[in-house]
Amino acid sequence: MFSRSSLPAALLASSSIVVPAQAVTLADAEGSYQALQRFYNESIGLWIPSDRPGGGTRPIVRARSGEKGGCFADDVPGLTVIADLAAIDGGVKAQSESVFGNTFREAQLYNLQMQKALTVFPANTCRIGDDEGWWALAWIAAYDVTGNWQYLATAESIFEDMKAAAGTTPCGGLIWWDKSHTYVNATANELFLDVAAHLANRGGNRATYYLSWPQKQWAAFKASGMINDQNTINDGLNITTCKNNGGTVWSYNQGVILGGLTELSKATRDNSYITTAKQIADAAIANLTVNGILHDVCEPDCGADGSQFKGVFARNLQILQQASPETRYATFLQDNANSIWANDRAGQDELSLIWSGPFIQPANASTQSSAMDAIVGALATS
């Protein structure tokens, strides 16, 4: 469980910084978007989590601390946060269509050429279950902004590959985190629910087909024990006992489920899913913040994937807030966005890891997109 004592002393000191009253603006978001695009490699259609704008030649692929190897879709959040910003900013929307199209075309060619695990097309070549889910949600977000059916069809194809793993674990109806079948975790299962619920609201005459999956998945997830007595979510299960492994309460595991339950509530018109989502959101905010600002225990060194976790929470809290507004969530998003802009920004609107400050050199595509999620969330719900 997160606590103040789990943060380095320097971060505790910085977390006492007063959040400024001046709210972030759309112009601020546009500045952070321009900074993000300096990490974009047009020739491969991906955002490079390199140590400075324009550096690097390919996405960083690494395992998350405490897990058994693999990759995290480091470049996907760039696509998603641009779609979310485009939804509220006409200027960015006009620019985003070419970015989506370029990524759709070039990332496929690059990933097939490199034969890396982080493969977009075809989906079944990606070895990590949650990587598929991130890509599916990114293309759904792009579809929502553009109406381009190719993007939705891609998400549907990825979902079918994820679905093939449903019920294959020893732990009820859950899916594996990896295609080597070494771990059953929260992320992959939340993403499977989230993608299916999103598709249920966009699947036209296949909506009933898609809806059956998040309903079954939620029943399995709720029964799994990954949601603990504090209403926070641990990282996964012991696959021998299928019991909660007591793993780290990461911010992103508290986030993905918010979006999934919100979409499931919309599809079923059952408000009980919203009630549960708010219980999880409230528990996360109570347990993962210092003076109202979100932190993960990996700070100040969270790697290329961990630096994205908080953005996932902010992005999905935005989805929940838009569906069922609460003053406390709007305040949380606004305070975190304001703190990022005042205390975690340097250079040409580059945004770093620790949202309360101090700015840690260097910013990269991962920290930039994550912090942008909070800024966009604040603007979208203000």
Side-chain angles (χ1 to χ4, degrees), residues 38-39 47-58 60 62 304 350 352 359-367:
R38 290 196 291 273
F39 294 101
W47 289 262
I48 308 301
S50 60
D51 54 358
R52 60 182 53 86
T57 58
R58 64 180 179 82
I60 296 172
R62 66 179 72 179
E350 294 173 27
S352 189
F359 183 92
I360 294 178
Q361 292 281 5
N364 56 48
S366 179
T367 63

Side-chain angles (χ1 to χ4, degrees), residues 122-166:
N124 61 13
T125 62
C126 183
R127 293 182 298 170
I128 306 301
D130 58 357
D131 281 324
E132 293 182 299
W134 299 121
W135 273 113
L137 290 174
W139 289 120
I140 291 170
Y143 164 75
D144 286 346
V145 172
T146 66
N148 187 325
W149 283 91
Q150 283 185 296
Y151 302 155
L152 186 64
T154 298
E156 291 173 332
S157 175
I158 294 171
F159 170 77
E160 290 301 316
D161 193 65
M162 296 179 73
K163 187 191 75 174

